[in-house]
Short mmCIF file of all heavy atoms in Angstrom, two decimals:
data_model
loop_
_atom_site.label_atom_id
_atom_site.label_comp_id
_atom_site.label_asym_id
_atom_site.label_seq_id
_atom_site.Cartn_x
_atom_site.Cartn_y
_atom_site.Cartn_z
N ARG A 238 -2.41 19.66 8.15
CA ARG A 238 -3.02 20.68 9.00
C ARG A 238 -3.72 20.05 10.21
O ARG A 238 -3.51 20.47 11.36
CB ARG A 238 -4.01 21.50 8.17
CG ARG A 238 -4.45 22.80 8.80
CD ARG A 238 -5.38 23.59 7.89
NE ARG A 238 -6.61 22.86 7.61
CZ ARG A 238 -7.59 22.71 8.51
NH1 ARG A 238 -7.46 23.21 9.72
NH2 ARG A 238 -8.67 22.02 8.20
N VAL A 239 -4.52 19.01 9.97
CA VAL A 239 -5.25 18.33 11.05
C VAL A 239 -4.25 17.71 12.04
O VAL A 239 -4.38 17.86 13.25
CB VAL A 239 -6.17 17.23 10.48
CG1 VAL A 239 -6.74 16.37 11.61
CG2 VAL A 239 -7.28 17.86 9.63
N TRP A 240 -3.25 17.05 11.50
CA TRP A 240 -2.27 16.34 12.33
C TRP A 240 -1.50 17.34 13.19
O TRP A 240 -1.26 17.11 14.39
CB TRP A 240 -1.35 15.54 11.41
CG TRP A 240 -0.31 14.77 12.11
CD1 TRP A 240 -0.53 13.70 12.97
CD2 TRP A 240 1.11 14.91 12.03
NE1 TRP A 240 0.68 13.19 13.40
CE2 TRP A 240 1.69 13.93 12.84
CE3 TRP A 240 1.94 15.78 11.31
CZ2 TRP A 240 3.09 13.79 12.98
CZ3 TRP A 240 3.30 15.67 11.44
CH2 TRP A 240 3.88 14.69 12.27
N THR A 241 -1.09 18.46 12.58
CA THR A 241 -0.38 19.49 13.33
C THR A 241 -1.23 20.03 14.48
O THR A 241 -0.76 20.16 15.61
CB THR A 241 0.00 20.67 12.38
OG1 THR A 241 0.74 20.15 11.29
CG2 THR A 241 0.82 21.71 13.13
N ALA A 242 -2.53 20.31 14.20
CA ALA A 242 -3.41 20.79 15.24
C ALA A 242 -3.54 19.81 16.36
O ALA A 242 -3.56 20.16 17.55
CB ALA A 242 -4.78 21.11 14.63
N GLN A 243 -3.62 18.51 16.02
CA GLN A 243 -3.81 17.48 17.04
C GLN A 243 -2.56 17.25 17.87
O GLN A 243 -2.65 16.75 18.98
CB GLN A 243 -4.21 16.13 16.38
CG GLN A 243 -5.58 16.16 15.72
CD GLN A 243 -6.70 16.18 16.71
OE1 GLN A 243 -6.59 15.69 17.82
NE2 GLN A 243 -7.83 16.79 16.32
N THR A 244 -1.40 17.57 17.32
CA THR A 244 -0.16 17.27 18.05
C THR A 244 0.45 18.55 18.64
O THR A 244 1.48 18.46 19.32
CB THR A 244 0.87 16.61 17.11
OG1 THR A 244 1.04 17.44 15.96
CG2 THR A 244 0.40 15.23 16.67
N ALA A 245 -0.18 19.69 18.41
CA ALA A 245 0.44 20.95 18.87
C ALA A 245 0.34 21.12 20.39
O ALA A 245 1.15 21.80 20.99
CB ALA A 245 -0.20 22.14 18.16
N LEU A 246 -0.69 20.54 20.98
CA LEU A 246 -0.93 20.80 22.40
C LEU A 246 -0.45 19.65 23.27
O LEU A 246 -0.74 18.49 22.99
CB LEU A 246 -2.41 21.03 22.64
CG LEU A 246 -3.03 22.24 21.96
CD1 LEU A 246 -4.47 22.40 22.38
CD2 LEU A 246 -2.23 23.48 22.25
N PRO A 247 0.29 19.95 24.35
CA PRO A 247 0.65 18.89 25.29
C PRO A 247 -0.61 18.33 25.97
O PRO A 247 -1.58 19.07 26.20
CB PRO A 247 1.54 19.61 26.31
CG PRO A 247 1.34 21.08 26.10
CD PRO A 247 0.79 21.28 24.73
N ALA A 248 -0.59 17.04 26.26
CA ALA A 248 -1.77 16.37 26.79
C ALA A 248 -2.26 17.00 28.08
O ALA A 248 -3.47 17.08 28.32
CB ALA A 248 -1.48 14.87 27.01
N ASP A 249 -1.32 17.49 28.94
CA ASP A 249 -1.79 18.06 30.21
C ASP A 249 -2.53 19.36 30.00
O ASP A 249 -3.47 19.68 30.75
CB ASP A 249 -0.63 18.20 31.23
CG ASP A 249 0.51 19.03 30.67
OD1 ASP A 249 0.51 19.31 29.45
OD2 ASP A 249 1.42 19.38 31.46
N LEU A 250 -2.18 20.11 28.95
CA LEU A 250 -2.90 21.34 28.65
C LEU A 250 -4.30 21.02 28.15
O LEU A 250 -5.30 21.68 28.52
CB LEU A 250 -2.13 22.17 27.61
CG LEU A 250 -2.74 23.50 27.18
CD1 LEU A 250 -3.03 24.40 28.36
CD2 LEU A 250 -1.85 24.21 26.17
N VAL A 251 -4.43 19.99 27.33
CA VAL A 251 -5.75 19.59 26.83
C VAL A 251 -6.62 19.18 28.00
O VAL A 251 -7.80 19.59 28.09
CB VAL A 251 -5.60 18.40 25.82
CG1 VAL A 251 -6.97 17.87 25.42
CG2 VAL A 251 -4.84 18.87 24.58
N GLU A 252 -6.08 18.41 28.91
CA GLU A 252 -6.86 17.93 30.03
C GLU A 252 -7.27 19.09 30.95
O GLU A 252 -8.42 19.20 31.37
CB GLU A 252 -6.10 16.88 30.81
CG GLU A 252 -6.99 16.00 31.64
CD GLU A 252 -6.21 15.08 32.57
OE1 GLU A 252 -5.11 14.70 32.20
OE2 GLU A 252 -6.74 14.79 33.66
N ALA A 253 -6.30 19.96 31.28
CA ALA A 253 -6.60 21.09 32.16
C ALA A 253 -7.66 21.98 31.50
O ALA A 253 -8.59 22.46 32.18
CB ALA A 253 -5.33 21.89 32.43
N SER A 254 -7.56 22.17 30.21
CA SER A 254 -8.51 23.02 29.50
C SER A 254 -9.90 22.41 29.54
O SER A 254 -10.89 23.12 29.78
CB SER A 254 -8.02 23.19 28.06
OG SER A 254 -8.63 24.27 27.48
#
Side-chain angles (χ1 to χ4, degrees):
Chain A
R238 195 177 63 72
V239 170
W240 180 64
T241 304
Q243 294 287 332
T244 54
L246 297 186
D249 56 350
L250 179 56
V251 173
E252 201 189 329
S254 197

